[in-house]
Amino acid sequence: MPELPEVETVRRGLAPAMDGARFAAVEQRRPDLRFPFPARFRERLVGHTITSFHRRAKYLVAGLSSGEALIMHLGMSGRFSVVRPGEEPPERQAHDHVIFTMSNDFSVIYNDPRRFGFMDIVDDGNGDICRHLSGLGIEPLGNQLSGPELARLLAEKKTPLKSALLDQRLIAGLGNIYVCEALFRAGLHPTRQSGSLRSDEADRLATCIRDVLTEAIESGGSTLKDYARTDGTLGYFQHAFRVYDREGAKCSTSGCQGHVTRIVQAGRSTFFCPQCQPENHR
DNA sequence: CTTACGGCCTGTACGC
DNA sequence: TGCGTACAGGCCGTAA
């Protein structure tokens, strides 16, 4: 499900249940997701308290009173749901893989049909130097993402702009949807060579990336097939998509006669308006 | 070093 | 209705 806005929405939904709470019980219902669970997964959680709970890119990081950190990633189809104290726990669903019962009587269920997500426990308490997070690029909503910084990251790169924005080592947290939307807003063609950006274009792109992510978080993320917030309600930013999954639709820019076009880059769909995102820039 | 591609899994939508 | 195919929000390992 998750790009940065969806993971941030999940973090906010999980925080009341998990942040500051102690693991009372952990039910791990299969040996692996994308990767095997770490050794003694249950034992390293039960009895320990979550002392910090944050998001880095598309990862959730729970710092533990043991000094370790629980890292969680939702892959493509991962979904958390929160059961509030006193609420009747739902019946086990197919693909419910992990159930956390917390000391505050909340419980948290992790469901992931495709099992591209994973959970790991690392010995770095804030997770920054673990193998999952150490190679990540800048947070797009942090202070580091400016036009000049973006221009610096993309300079000299021959890879298409779209591929560069999907590269988590440069900017961490964008996925296919928000890259398409940001490029549309910035009026930049997805196949443009990254290093060809002028400084005014980099400024525009940086602004558009921040704006689209911020707006998406405010909308509770985007709901496509299976994404829901932790309380089961749906995000609604998908109604604000201007190009993603809108192949053939008339461009939403007023006065533009263009139509949304789909191409495939690096095996993934790219949606854009050929009129608003001209290939030949001046 | 960089970039491209297949693979991991399951579910769903669509064409015949 | 049933079957086959394509495709899906991510990431990693390998190959070129």
Side-chain angles (χ1 to χ4, degrees):
Chain A
M1 86 177 151
E3 298 186 30
L4 186 154
E6 291 74 38
V7 178
E8 177 59 24
T9 301
V10 168
R11 187 195 67 77
R12 294 178 186 186
L14 289 178
M18 299 188 76
D19 195 5
R22 178 171 41 81
F23 287 95
V26 172
E27 184 182 349
Q28 174 199 328
R29 306 186 70 218
R30 54 172 299 126
D32 57 359
L33 295 171
R34 178 183 181 140
F35 308 118
F37 282 89
R40 301 173 48 250
F41 179 70
R42 186 170 58 79
E43 292 82 352
R44 287 158 78 182
L45 296 176
V46 170
H48 295 291
T49 299
I50 296 175
T51 54
S52 65
F53 192 67
H54 65 277
R55 176 192 60 73
R56 171 78 170 102
K58 304 174 194 173
Y59 297 81
L60 293 169
V61 182
L64 305 172
S65 53
S66 61
E68 297 191 304
L70 170 66
I71 310 270
M72 299 180 282
H73 193 288
L74 299 156
M76 293 276 252
S77 58
R79 178 170 170 172
F80 281 100
S81 49
V82 167
V83 183
R84 308 178 66 80
E87 204 176 316
E88 187 65 24
E91 281 184 38
R92 294 281 184 268
Q93 304 292 311
H95 313 300
D96 280 354
H97 303 310
V98 180
I99 297 102
F100 297 133
T101 304
M102 308 304 295
S103 56
N104 54 14
D105 289 334
F106 278 88
S107 55
V108 170
I109 301 166
Y110 180 69
N111 181 289
D112 187 356
R114 292 174 73 180
R115 303 203 304 274
F116 283 4
F118 66 86
M119 295 189 189
D120 196 7
I121 298 175
V122 300
D123 56 16
D124 171 25
N126 58 35
D128 282 344
I129 60 174
C130 75
R131 63 192 180 92
H132 305 295
L133 307 185
S134 60
L136 292 175
I138 60 173
E139 275 292 317
L141 292 179
N143 295 330
Q144 294 171 73
L145 180 63
S146 62
E149 177 62 10
L150 186 57
R152 196 187 66 75
L153 289 170
L154 299 177
E156 319 259 313
K157 286 218 172 298
K158 292 179 180 158
T159 184
L161 205 39
K162 196 245 186 168
S163 308
L165 295 182
L166 281 176
D167 185 343
Q168 304 297 301
R169 297 167 301 183
L170 302 178
I171 301 176
L174 296 175
N176 207 33
I177 293 176
Y178 296 105
V179 166
C180 292
E181 294 296 316
L183 287 173
F184 171 79
R185 290 181 181 214
L188 297 170
H189 196 285
T191 67
R192 274 274 297 273
Q193 193 171 303
S194 301
S196 76
L197 273 204
R198 299 186 313 253
S199 65
D200 62 308
E201 293 173 322
D203 289 344
R204 227 161 59 219
L205 181 54
T207 301
C208 291
I209 288 170
R210 302 177 78 105
D211 286 353
V212 72
L213 294 177
T214 302
E215 290 169 31
I217 291 170
E218 287 169 358
S219 298
S222 302
T223 303
L224 273 81
K225 295 189 171 68
D226 51 8
Y227 169 71
R229 287 135 108 169
T230 54
D231 61 1
T233 62
L234 304 177
Y236 48 89
F237 189 73
Q238 67 278 10
H239 303 301
F241 290 168
R242 312 238 349 235
V243 289
Y244 182 79
D245 202 23
R246 302 192 65 217
E247 182 179 15
K250 190 176 165 306
C251 177
S252 58
T253 303
S254 82
C256 178
Q257 294 304 307
H259 291 265
V260 176
T261 301
R262 185 180 86 101
I263 58 174
V264 174
Q265 293 180 274
R268 319 228 12 220
S269 292
T270 301
F271 301 90
F272 69 105
C273 171
Q275 302 292 314
C276 296
Q277 296 164 264
E279 192 156 16
N280 300 314
H281 53 294
R282 284 181 292 273

